Amino acid sequence: MPNTSTTANDIDYRLAFDLAPIGLVLSRNRAIVDCNQRVCEMFGVSREQLIGQSFQLLYPSADEYERTGQRIAPILNAKGVYADDRVMKRVDGRFKGETFWCHVTGRALNRDAPHEAGIWTFEDLSARKPVKAELTAREREVAAHLMDGLTSKEIGKALGISHRTVEIYRVKLMRKYEASGAADLIQKLMRG
């Protein structure tokens, strides 16, 4: 009977990367060095359209791209890993320009220079958490932290703004989602 066990030498890592069920991106200085097929499907583009491009292409605005980079650098520096839910933007295809919630996780290959090189995963959350209300970039950031269960003080610290400013954004979100309270707001944010 032949031995059918798979050894590390038998695994085609390139094929595994390309066909992974979650989006994978290799980065250098916040630019896309390589990506898999799932990322291309998620953002509606070909691999050739993404390679060499800045991650800014995938964000709803340049401001969100810059603020996210500033926010994640110290965390990657300290822990080597980072994860959050954020709103991203489809680049091309029939849903071009559409925003969607995405779970992003990253690992810096060099914690002392967190943006130098890394590997990132992208998971499209739109099926369970659609973006329905028109939100500003800051409202999206506050909403993402609220869904993570952070307090206004914790959100303020994470975003570099006062907790009172966070409260103003929370009130705006409650109006937009017609929420009766904090718990109702979080429930409505989760549903979109």
Side-chain angles (χ1 to χ4, degrees):
M1 193 171 207
N3 182 353
T4 58
S5 65
T6 302
T7 66
N9 294 335
D10 296 334
I11 296 172
D12 181 345
Y13 288 99
R14 181 67 212 188
L15 184 62
F17 176 84
D18 287 338
L19 298 178
I22 193 164
L24 296 171
V25 174
L26 299 174
S27 69
R28 186 169 304 283
N29 299 314
R30 298 190 79 195
I32 299 166
V33 173
D34 200 0
C35 64
N36 70 353
Q37 186 58 41
R38 183 65 190 113
V39 168
C40 296
E41 293 164 0
M42 198 179 310
F43 291 98
V45 292
S46 70
R47 186 174 172 273
E48 293 72 28
Q49 288 173 288
L50 287 178
I51 302 300
Q53 295 294 317
S54 165
F55 277 111
Q56 184 176 336
L57 180 69
L58 310 178
Y59 282 79
S61 71
D63 187 45
E64 286 176 86
Y65 166 77
E66 291 300 328
R67 282 204 307 249
T68 301
Q70 292 169 1
R71 183 176 68 242
I72 67 177
I75 296 168
L76 279 171
N77 218 294
K79 299 179 181 179
V81 294
Y82 180 84
D84 70 13
D85 288 352
R86 66 180 75 149
V87 174
M88 303 296 287
K89 178 186 72 176
R90 304 205 197 276
V91 178
D92 211 348
R94 71 182 180 142
F95 298 111
K96 181 178 182 174
E98 176 187 82
T99 56
F100 66 102
W101 282 102
C102 190
H103 181 71
V104 181
T105 306
R107 176 177 293 278
L109 300 183
N110 176 1
R111 285 169 59 169
D112 294 329
H115 290 307
E116 180 181 81
I119 183 155
W120 297 88
T121 65
F122 292 82
E123 181 184 4
D124 185 343
L125 302 177
S126 60
R128 58 184 169 201
K129 188 161 62 168
V131 177
K132 289 186 182 171
E134 284 297 317
L135 304 177
T136 67
R138 187 60 90 182
E139 287 169 341
R140 286 192 288 269
E141 289 176 330
V142 170
H145 287 300
L146 285 171
M147 289 185 290
D148 287 340
L150 272 63
T151 66
S152 292
K153 284 186 180 182
E154 292 167 330
I155 294 169
K157 186 176 179 182
L159 298 178
I161 58 178
S162 77
H163 71 280
R164 296 204 190 283
T165 303
V166 172
E167 288 298 326
I168 291 168
Y169 283 108
R170 186 189 297 250
V171 168
K172 288 180 181 181
L173 288 166
M174 288 179 69
R175 281 190 202 123
K176 286 184 178 186
Y177 281 89
E178 299 175 353
S180 59
D184 187 35
L185 173 62
I186 292 169
Q187 187 177 43
K188 288 181 175 183
L189 286 169
M190 294 295 217
R191 286 189 307 219

